[in-house]
Amino acid sequence: FLEYIQGGCLLNFVVGVDFTGSNGDPRDPSSLHYLGHATPNQYTQAITAVGNVIQDYDSDQLYPAFGFGARLPPTWQVSHQFSLNGNPSEPDCHGIQGILGAYQQCINSVQLYGPTNASPIVGNVAKMAREALHQQQAKDYYILLLITDGILTDMDQTIHMIIEASELPMSIIIVGVGNADFSDMERLDADDALLSIGNRKAKRDIVQFVPFRDFKNVPSHKLASAVLEELPDQLAGYYNTNRLPPIHE
C-alpha cells in the first residue's frame, strides 16, 4: 500500500449522506441529523474521523459530497443524488470543514424523505473511477464514504453496481448510524465470500461496513482504523492484479 501512496497514487475521497425521513426531523433532538447537541451527531463524527485520515493522501483537498433521499427546493422533487453545496455542476467541497459546512446548510434547506436508494451515488463514483481505467500506472484511486441510517431500498441494484465497480480502482466504506438492524448490510461487506447476485460475481471485495454504534464511546481514531482497515489491501490488490506500477518507483 505505502509503495503506491509514496509512489504518487492519489486517494480521491467522495462522501454520500443519507437524508431519508427515517433519520427523524432535524429539529428534533432525537434525530440523527440534529445539530444542537454539544457532541457532534454521528454523521459529522463519521465524516470527520474518516476524512481526517484520508485528507493526508488527497493533495487537492477537493471532495465531491452528495446527499440522497431528500426533497429539494424549489420543486420539492425527491432526489437520489444531489450536491451538498447546492451546486450540481461543481459538487466539490474544500477540505473536511467544507463538507461539514455544506452538510449543515443542506440539513436546514431540504426535506428528509425517501426511499433509501444508494445505487445512483455508487454508480456516479464508479463513473469517475472508470475514467482512471486507461492509466498505465497507479495514479488515481477512489473512495466512497456512504453514511446511512438503514437498509437500502435498492439493495439488488446496489449489489449490481458494486459488482461492476469491483473491476475499477475504487473502494466503498459504509458507516451505519443509528440503531437499525444492519444484518443485510453485512452482506455487502463480503469478507467470507465474494459478493454475488444471480450469475454475477464480484472480482474482489471492495466494501467495508461498520456500524457506528460499536464505536460510540471510543476515540475517533478507533472508528477511522476500523473503517479503513481493508483499504490498504483493496488498493494494493487492485494495482497488483492489474500489474500497474507506482508512478515513481
Side-chain angles (χ1 to χ4, degrees), residues 21 23-34 112:
N23 283 280
D25 183 335
R27 294 164 298 190
D28 184 331
S30 66
S31 169
L32 291 166
H33 280 305
Y34 185 68
L112 273 56

Side-chain angles (χ1 to χ4, degrees), residues 65-219:
F66 302 98
F68 59 96
R71 300 211 305 198
L72 309 187
T75 60
W76 302 106
Q77 292 284 96
V78 177
S79 173
H80 302 301
Q81 182 178 284
F82 53 91
S83 306
L84 290 192
N85 65 7
N87 185 346
S89 56
E90 274 298 327
D92 292 354
C93 298
H94 197 276
I96 304 308
Q97 286 310 312
I99 301 175
L100 295 175
Y103 160 66
Q104 287 163 10
Q105 272 188 303
C106 205
I107 276 294
N108 294 318
S109 64
V110 304
Q111 182 189 1
L112 273 56
Y113 207 68
T116 312
N117 288 356
S119 60
I121 288 179
V122 174
N124 188 28
V125 178
K127 196 172 156 193
M128 298 176 197
R130 190 164 271 112
E131 288 173 18
L133 271 183
H134 61 272
Q135 293 173 173
Q136 304 302 309
Q137 294 167 305
K139 185 168 174 281
D140 282 294
Y141 196 88
Y142 289 81
I143 297 158
L144 169 60
L145 170 63
L146 197 66
I147 314 170
T148 179
D149 82 318
I151 302 307
L152 305 179
T153 317
D154 62 342
M155 181 63 91
D156 284 359
Q157 220 171 336
T158 301
I159 289 172
H160 280 293
M161 288 287 183
I162 292 170
I163 289 172
E164 274 178 42
S166 69
E167 300 182 75
L168 304 171
M170 73 177 271
S171 290
I172 301 168
I173 294 161
I174 304 174
V175 175
V177 295
N179 295 312
D181 174 5
F182 287 118
S183 47
D184 263 12
M185 301 297 262
E186 302 280 1
R187 179 183 168 197
L188 300 178
D189 187 347
D191 287 339
D192 301 322
L194 286 173
L195 188 63
S196 63
I197 188 167
N199 56 5
R200 300 185 71 200
K201 192 175 190 178
K203 290 276 189 292
R204 60 195 184 98
D205 174 23
I206 63 167
V207 177
Q208 171 76 329
F209 172 74
V210 174
F212 186 93
R213 58 180 171 243
D214 293 357
F215 298 88
K216 224 171 175 177
N217 301 308
V218 298

Side-chain angles (χ1 to χ4, degrees), residues 6 9 11 14 22 26 33 38 48 59 67 73 98 101 126 129 137 142 181 188 207-208 212 216 228 233 244:
Q6 288 162 354
C9 180
L11 301 183
V14 185
S22 51
H33 280 305
T48 307
S59 60
Q137 294 167 305
Y142 289 81
D181 174 5
L188 300 178
V207 177
Q208 171 76 329
F212 186 93
K216 224 171 175 177
L228 297 167
D233 286 347
L244 295 172

